[in-house]
Amino acid sequence: MSSIRPVLAMVWLFGLLAVPAAVGQAAPPEASADSPVSFDVYGRIEKAPEIVEREREDGSVSAQAPLSIYASGDRAIRLNGAEARQELGFVVSPRADVEQVDLNLRHITSNGLVPDTPHLRVSVNERAVAQLKGLRQPAIEVSTVSIDPDYIESGYNRLWFDGIHRYTYECQNPQAPELWSEIDALGSEIDIVYKRRPFTGRLSELSEIGSPGFGGMKTLTVITSGETPTADHLKWGALSIQGFVNRADGALPEIEHRSLSELTPDASNSIGKSDIVLVGIAEDLAPLLGSDAQQIDDAYLRIMPSPFDETAFMLVVSGTTPEEVTRAATLLTRLDFPLVDDEEMRIPNGTISLETAPAYRASVDAGVTYRLRDLGFRDITVRQKTFETFQADFLMPADYFVPDGEIALLSLDLAYGADLREDSVLNIFLNGAFQQSIWLRQPEGAVIPGYEVRLDARALRPGRNTFGFEVVLTPGEGGQCGLRSDRHLAFAMKDSSTLSIPDSAHFAELPDLSLLRDTGFPFVSHHDDLSVVRLMDDRSETVAAAWTLVAKLHALTAASPGDIEFGYGGDIPSDAHAVFVGAAASFTDSGVSARDVQKAANGVRIGRSGALHAFKSPSADDRLNIIVTASTSTQLLEAVRSLTAPSHWSQVKGAHVEWRRLADTVRTLPADDMFYLGELEPRARIAFFNARQPWGFVGLVVALLLAMGVLLTIAVRYLRSGDSNAS
Amino acid sequence: MTRHRRDPALLRTVIAFAAFAVLVVFAAIPTEIGTQLALAAATCVMLVGMSWLRPTSSLLRIFVILLTVFTSTRYMYWRTTETLPWGDPLGLFFGFCLLAAEFYGYTILLLSTFIMTDAPRRVPPHPPLSVAKCPSVDVLIPSYNEDPELLKATLIAAVNIEYPKEKLAVYLLDDGGTVQKRTQADPLKAAEARARNEELIALCESLGAHYLTREKNEHAKAGNVNSALAQTDGELVLILDADHIPTRDILTRTAGYFIADPKLFLVQTPHFFINADPLERNLDTFEKMPGENEMFYSVMQPGLDSFNAAFFCGSAAVIRRSCLDEIGGLAGDTITEDAETALELHARGYRSAYVTHPLIAGLAPETYTGFIIQRMRWAQGMAQIFLMKNPLFKPGLKFAQRIGYLNSCFFWFFPLARIVFILGPILFLLFGVHILDAKAVDFAAYGLPHVLGAILLSVTLFGRVRWLFASELYEIIQSVHCAGAIIQVFRNPRAPSFAVTPKGENVDQDFISPLSGSFYWLVFGVVLAQITGLTRLAVDPSEFGKISVLLVWNTFHLLLLLCAVGVMFERAQRREAPRPGSKRRLVLRREADLYPITTRDISATGFGLDAPLAASGVYQLGNRFTVDGFDPIAKESVRIPTLCVSRRDAPDCIKLGFVFEPERPEQERATVNLVFGDSRDWKEFRDNRASSGGMTGKVFFLLANGVERAILHFRALATGGAL
C-alpha cells in the first residue's frame, strides 16, 4: 500500500497541473483587445506575426512580412547537419509591380564551425542571392540581403535557406551536433515594396486576379442592389465569393457587404481599395453601372476597374431575371468551366446546369480502390539524396464509419537502387503517425510492384488525410570518410500505387464541430440533406459574417454553396440543418431554441468576442443547428473573421466554441446531448454504443451472468430437492 | 389426481441448453477492441479473484462457470469470424485445421461442463435383506497371458468376497490355455499353453475357484466372457480383469442396486491402481499427484451417472446376466466391447449406476509401450463407436445420454487436436504460414481471458483430482502414437484388433523407451521454431505481436514436450509387487512380545516400516515375526510369518523391509485379505492424493521433474544409453 502512495501523489499533482490546460479558461490577461500579441506558456507577451503594410507617398506599398508567417508559425528556422535546407514560399500577385525586395535576416551559427567560410546560402526561385557567414559570437547577426526584383515572379515564389556546415576540412561526421545554423523567423522578415497597377484583367484571369499575397486581393466587398439584401442577394453573394475563394485555394479575403442604396458619392472612402463584386438584377444596378446596365440582356459577368479605385476591380454578376443572376453566379463556382478571355461574357440558358457541382476536392468513396494519381499524387523519384520526404493527400468523408479492425490497404509500386546500406528504409506515416517501414535492403536493388501496407482504417480521419513518405537512402560502401559515390542512391514510387478504402456506413455522432472544421459537415456535401443559413438581421456586418462563414465551410473541399438556402429569421424547415447568424440581441423571440441561444449568448456576455454553439434541432432528431453570435454585428464580423483564421479554426471542436481575437483564447466544450446522423447496421450500431460505455457493457455482462447464476442456483436447488424427495 | 414425477436429467439438460443459448447470444455481441479489452481485464480480475477466494457457494461457482463459458464462446466466435486468413490459401487450410482443433477443445469444455457441473450424488444402495433375496453372482476373471502368481492374488481375493457362499462362484476364464493354444503348430508354445492350463486348473482347485477355457480364441476378451456366460448361470456377473484384485465388500456395495432397480443392467466401480503408470513413475508423482484415471472415475463417471450414462469400463463392474443375454453377451463390433455393450443396453432403456468407492486394486501399465498399447486400443475403440455406432444417432438413447456418450467418444480425438496445436506455431514461426490473422492486442482481448478461464475452470471442476497441465502432459505423451491409430480407424473402422495390455512388467534398469523417436522430431521442430521466432522477433518488428504470442504458445509446447521426453526415459522398477504408500496399523509378534506398528507401505509380498531408533535392537536383519491377520473363509485370526530382509539406519528412524512368508493356504488368504481386503484403505489412499491447493507449486514440481528427466534422457542418448 505504501508503494502506491507516491503514484497517487503524482497523479494528483499532475491532475492539478493539468486542470488549467484542460479547461482552457485560465488564459493570461491580454494586453489589449486589438493588439496583435499572444502569450507564451510563461504568460510573457510576444508579438504575433503579421504582415504590416504601409502606403508610401508615391503610392507604392511597403510590406514587412515576418518569415514565421511562411514557416508554419515556427519561431526559428533550424538548419542542422552538414547540409540542410529549408524552403519557404510567398505569393506575389500579378497585379503588383515589385520595386524592391530586401530580406532582413537575424541568424546565428554554431561556434564549432570552421571560421571565415559562408555557412548560409540564400536562394530565390533557384537562384542564389547571398552567402552569409554566421556570427560565431553569442550575439545574433543581422544581415540584409537585397534581392533583384526581377528574380521575383508573379504567383508562388520559393525562398531557400541552405546551411553548409563544416567543423573541419578533414573527415567530419555529417550529423555532428556542432553543425547548425538558426534563423530567427520572428525577427527576420521580407521587406517588399510594390505598386499595384491600374486594373486591366480579363475574366479568364480570375484566378490570378483574385490571388492573395503581396499586392493581391485583401478585401472583397459585395455590393448588392436595393436597400437590404434579399435571400437571392445573399445566395448570389455567397456563390460569387466562393468563386474567388476556391480559386485561391481556400484563402479568405476580408469580406464586406454594402447595399447599393447606401453608397454615397464619397463611398470611395468606405470601400477604398477593396475589390468589388456587384450583384443584382441588371436594372437595379444602374445607379453604379449607369447606361451599361442596359446592355445586360442575359446572365452576365463583367470585370472592370473599380469605380472607387483604379487598381481594384469590380466584377459584375447580373442578369435580367433572378434565374439569370443565379446562373452567372453559379458559373463562377465552376472551376472547370473556362471563362472567356475577355472582360465580359454572357451565359445563355443551358450553358451550365444549375445543379450543384460536386466539390472540387472531393472525398474518396468507401469501398473503392484508388490509384494515387487519382488522388493528385505523381511519380516520385529520389536521386543522389540520402533523405527525402513527400506526401499524398486525400479527403475522407466526414461521416465515414468503419467497424473496429477494418483494414485500409496501401499497395505501393516501388523501385530502389543497388548497393544501399542495410539501414535504408522507406518510412510511412499517416497523418503524422508512423505506420510501417519498408526495408530497402536488396544489395542488387529491387523493383517491388504492389508492396502491401495494411493500415487500421480507423486511423483515417474525416477530412484531409496525409500519407507521409520518408525515404532514407544510405550508401553501402566507403564508410564515413572513404571515397564514395552517391549516384547509385535512387528511389522511385509510382503513382500507379493504390489505396483501397474499406466499405463503410455513413454515420456520424453530432454535434461534433471537428467535423465542421475539417469538412464543413453536415452543411457541405452531405447527400441530399437540406441546409439553410439564417441571418437574424440585415445589417451589412451580419451579412458579411454569414458569407465569411459559408465561404470557409465550402473552401475546405472547394465546394459550391449552391444548395444552401439563405434567409432571415428563425423559422426553418423541420428537416434542415441550419446556421443562425446574428448579434446576440437579435435572437430575441426569433424562434430559435431559447435554451441554446442562452448558451451561446452566455459566451459573449462573459467577455468572449464570439460564440459558436451547435445543438440538436428541436424539430428533428437528426438535424444539426448552429448559432454564431457576438455582442454586436460589428463584433460578430470581427469574431467570424478571427474564427475562420487558421489559428482559431484548427482549434474548433466539441459542440461549443468561444473565442476572442487571439488564438490562445479559444475555449471549447463538449455537447450535452448527442445525436446520430446516418445509419449503421445493427451489429455495428451495438458495437458503437458499447464503445461509448465500455465499462457499462462490462457491467451489463457481469449482471447478466450473475442473474443467470442466481436462476441456475435456484434451479439446482430445485433439482436437488427433487432428488432427495425421490430417494 | 396423478402427480407426474419430474425427470431431473431432462430438466438439467433443458436448463443447461437454455443457459448456453443465452450465453451464445451475448457472446456474439459485437464490441470494439477497447470495450473488449475492458471486458477482458474485468474477466481476468474476476477469474483470478475467484481462484484466490475459492468460493464454495453454489452461486459463485456457477458464476465462474458461466463466465468461463461466456468468455470461451466469445473467443471462438471471434476466432471464427475475424481471424481466418482468407487471403492466403495455404494459411487458410492450416488456419481451418487450427480452428477445428480449437473447436474440439471448446466442445470438450462445453460437454465436460455440462456433464460434471453439480452432478447429484448417488444414494448408497440398500444391502440385500437376506441370503434368500441375494441374487447369485458369478465372478468372471478373463485371463490371456498373465502370470499365475498375479492371478493367484486375484482369485484369492475373489473367493474372499463377502457374499453368501452358495450364491457366489468364481471363474477363471483362461484364454491362454484354450484347445487352440494347446494344440498350436509351434510345439514349444503348445507345451507352454498345456503347462499353463494344468497349473491354473490346480490353482483354481486349491483356491475353490472354477477354471474355464474354450476351444478357440475368438473375439478376444468379449468372446472369452461370452463363452463363460454360456457355461454359467449366476443372475449377476462380476467381471474382473486378471490384475484387478477385489476388496471384500465389492458385492455388498453393488448388488443391492440390482434388487432396488429391476431395470438396472450395470453397476460400475472405479479402477484404482496401486502402482505408478509410466508418467507417475518416471516423473516421480505417484502418491503425490492423483492418478490419470481419477478425473474420469471421480468426476466424469458420476456426472455421466447423473444422466444415466455411466458406462461399462471392462472390469470392476457388476452386470445383470439377463441383460447381457438379451443382446447376446458382450458386444464385439468394436475393440472397446465394454462401452459398446453399455451403449447397446442404454439404448434398450436399461439403466446403469456408478459407485465412486474404489472396490478393486489394479495395475497400470508399467512401461510407456504398455501404456500406449492400452491407450491406442481405447482411442481406436471409441473412435469406432463414434463412426459405427454414433451415439447422436443411436435409436433409443435419451438426449443427455447422447451427450454423455458423445463426450466419451469425442474426447479420444484429442491426439489430432494436440498435434495441430503443436504444429500451428511451428508453421508460422518456421515457415511463415499465416495460420491466423490477428494482432497481439486481439489475443490479449479475446485469447487471454479464454485461456485463463479454461485453466481456472479446470481447477474448479477437476482441481482435486487433476493437477494443472497434467492433462496436457498426458495428452501429449499419447498423441503422437494415438493420432496414427485414430487415422487408421478413419480409413477402415473395422481394421483395429484387440491388443492385450501388458501388466506386471518388471523394469530392472533405466532405459529409453523405443517409442521416443517421434518426440525427438517434435522437440527438434519446436526448438527450431523457437530459435527462428526469437530471431524474427529481433529483426522483424512488424509482426512483433503475433510472433510474441506464438512464441509463448510454442514455449508451452516445448516444456510439455520436454516433460514428455522425460517420461520416455523409463525409471527402473525392481520391486516385484507394487507397494502403494498405504499406512496400516498392524501388530508384530516376536515370541511373546507384541509391537504395534504402522506400515510405511504394503504389498502382497511384504511391507515397509519406519521404526523408532529406540527399537533398534528388536529389528535386526533376519529376525522373524508374525503379523496378526484374518482368514475370511474360516472367519478366524491367522498369524502370517514375516521376515525382516532389509534395514537402513536413517537420522530419525530405522527403515526396515519385511516380506510375508505364508506357509499355509489360510495364511495366503489372510495376506491377500490384509493387503487388498479393505476398500477403505484404497479410498483413504486416493483421498490423500486429492487436493486442489498449491497448484503453482505442483506445476513447477511437474515441470522441474520433467525437464530433469529430459536432460537425463538426452544425456543417456548421447552416451549410448549409459549414464
Side-chain angles (χ1 to χ4, degrees), chain A residues 404 454 458 683 686-687 690-691 697-698 701-702 704-705 708-710 712-713 715-716 718-723 726, chain B residues 5-6 8 11-12 15 19 23 26 28-33 35 39 42 46 59 66-67 70 77 118 120 123 437:
Chain A
D404 200 19
R454 294 161 64 83
R458 285 284 178 92
R683 289 182 56 77
I686 291 171
N690 285 342
F697 176 69
V698 172
V701 169
V702 174
L704 171 89
L705 296 180
M708 288 179 68
V710 169
L712 289 176
T713 306
V716 165
Y718 171 74
L719 289 171
R720 281 182 184 162
S721 70
D723 292 338
Chain B
R5 190 184 164 192
R6 66 198 182 209
L11 273 176
R12 274 181 69 194
I15 291 169
L23 285 182
F26 262 75
I29 289 178
T31 57
E32 299 198 348
I33 191 66
T35 310
L39 183 61
M46 283 188 285
L59 173 60
L66 288 172
L67 183 61
F70 169 80
Y77 184 83
D118 216 63
V123 180
D437 193 359

Side-chain angles (χ1 to χ4, degrees), chain B residues 397-464:
Chain B
L397 291 176
K398 291 185 176 174
F399 185 75
Q401 289 176 316
R402 296 183 194 282
I403 299 293
Y405 274 102
L406 176 70
N407 179 62
S408 302
C409 297
F410 197 57
F411 167 79
W412 283 97
F413 291 116
F414 73 81
L416 302 176
R418 185 59 58 186
I419 294 289
V420 172
F421 283 140
I422 295 172
L423 294 182
I426 295 177
L427 282 171
F428 175 75
L429 295 173
L430 208 51
F431 303 112
V433 179
H434 285 263
I435 50 177
L436 47 80
D437 193 359
K439 292 179 283 192
V441 67
D442 298 326
F443 284 111
Y446 291 94
L448 187 61
H450 161 65
V451 171
L452 193 61
I455 289 172
L456 294 180
L457 183 65
S458 167
V459 172
T460 303
L461 290 178
F462 322 124
R464 283 178 56 79

Side-chain angles (χ1 to χ4, degrees), chain B residues 462-477:
Chain B
F462 322 124
R464 283 178 56 79
V465 292
R466 176 59 55 89
W467 283 12
L468 197 56
F469 302 130
S471 290
E472 284 75 9
L473 184 51
Y474 269 108
E475 286 182 7
I476 218 161
I477 65 174

Side-chain angles (χ1 to χ4, degrees), chain A residues 658-670:
Chain A
E658 295 168 2
W659 68 96
R660 295 192 193 105
R661 191 178 167 196
L662 302 180
D664 52 7
T665 63
V666 176
R667 173 196 188 220
T668 62
L669 293 172

Side-chain angles (χ1 to χ4, degrees), chain B residues 615-617 619-621 644-649 654-657:
Chain B
S616 175
Y619 300 112
Q620 296 294 327
L621 272 179
C644 181
V645 293
S646 69
R647 170 180 167 139
R648 183 167 59 83
D649 292 343
I654 311 162
K655 298 212 171 279
L656 299 164

Side-chain angles (χ1 to χ4, degrees), chain B residues 229-241:
Chain B
L229 287 174
Q231 303 173 59
T232 57
D233 59 0
E235 294 168 73
L236 303 178
V237 176
L238 169 61
I239 297 179
L240 297 171
D241 278 353

Side-chain angles (χ1 to χ4, degrees), chain B residues 361-679:
Chain B
L363 293 176
E366 279 80 1
T367 64
Y368 178 68
T369 305
F371 180 79
I372 284 299
I373 289 171
Q374 182 189 56
R375 298 313 162 100
M376 284 171 64
R377 176 162 62 81
W378 291 357
Q380 286 188 317
M382 298 310 274
Q384 281 181 308
I385 291 178
F386 185 80
L387 293 175
M388 296 160 59
K389 304 197 171 189
N390 193 306
L392 285 179
F393 310 110
K394 179 89 177 165
L397 291 176
K398 291 185 176 174
F399 185 75
Q401 289 176 316
R402 296 183 194 282
I403 299 293
Y405 274 102
L406 176 70
N407 179 62
S408 302
C409 297
F410 197 57
F411 167 79
W412 283 97
F413 291 116
F414 73 81
L416 302 176
R418 185 59 58 186
I419 294 289
V420 172
F421 283 140
I422 295 172
L423 294 182
I426 295 177
L427 282 171
F428 175 75
L429 295 173
L430 208 51
F431 303 112
V433 179
H434 285 263
I435 50 177
L436 47 80
D437 193 359
K439 292 179 283 192
V441 67
D442 298 326
F443 284 111
Y446 291 94
L448 187 61
H450 161 65
V451 171
L452 193 61
I455 289 172
L456 294 180
L457 183 65
S458 167
V459 172
T460 303
L461 290 178
F462 322 124
R464 283 178 56 79
V465 292
R466 176 59 55 89
W467 283 12
L468 197 56
F469 302 130
S471 290
E472 284 75 9
L473 184 51
Y474 269 108
E475 286 182 7
I476 218 161
I477 65 174
Q478 298 173 66
S479 292
V480 176
H481 302 287
C482 290
I486 292 169
I487 291 169
Q488 184 191 16
V489 176
F490 273 100
R491 292 168 64 185
N492 182 1
R494 296 191 179 276
S497 58
F498 193 96
V500 176
T501 307
K503 300 281 181 69
E505 296 172 291
N506 277 340
V507 181
D508 56 5
Q509 62 178 7
D510 290 359
F511 73 97
I512 293 172
S513 169
L515 301 180
S516 303
S518 40
F519 285 89
Y520 300 152
W521 285 110
L522 279 179
V523 170
F524 177 71
V526 170
V527 168
L528 205 58
Q530 194 77 358
I531 294 168
T532 311
L534 287 170
T535 310
R536 286 179 61 188
L537 199 64
V539 301
D540 185 6
S542 66
E543 296 205 282
F544 182 88
K546 196 189 288 187
I547 293 173
S548 304
V549 170
L550 290 176
L551 270 176
V552 170
W553 191 353
N554 201 55
T555 305
F556 175 65
H557 284 140
L558 178 60
L559 292 174
L560 280 180
L561 281 168
L562 285 177
C563 291
V565 170
V567 174
M568 304 291 120
F569 190 48
E570 303 268 21
R571 198 189 287 268
Q573 173 67 41
R574 295 185 181 84
R575 183 169 283 138
E576 285 184 7
R579 284 189 184 180
S582 180
K583 299 187 186 309
R584 304 283 171 81
R585 289 193 183 84
L586 304 175
V587 176
L588 282 183
R589 182 190 296 275
R590 179 170 167 77
E591 298 173 351
D593 298 326
L594 297 177
Y595 304 99
I597 62 163
T598 302
T599 63
R600 183 178 67 241
D601 51 40
I602 193 165
S603 75
T605 56
F607 62 90
L609 173 64
D610 292 342
L613 294 172
S616 175
V618 177
Y619 300 112
Q620 296 294 327
L621 272 179
N623 279 359
R624 291 188 180 279
F625 298 82
T626 59
V627 177
D628 284 354
F630 179 77
D631 181 352
I633 304 295
K635 297 193 185 305
E636 61 184 20
S637 292
V638 174
R639 289 179 183 167
I640 309 165
T642 181
L643 173 67
C644 181
V645 293
S646 69
R647 170 180 167 139
R648 183 167 59 83
D649 292 343
D652 54 344
C653 65
I654 311 162
K655 298 212 171 279
L656 299 164
F658 291 85
V659 294
F660 294 119
E661 293 187 324
E663 294 159 356
R664 299 192 301 276
E666 64 271 21
Q667 289 176 337
E668 287 185 333
R669 280 198 296 273
T671 306
V672 171
N673 187 48
L674 179 71
V675 178
F676 300 105
D678 194 342
S679 64

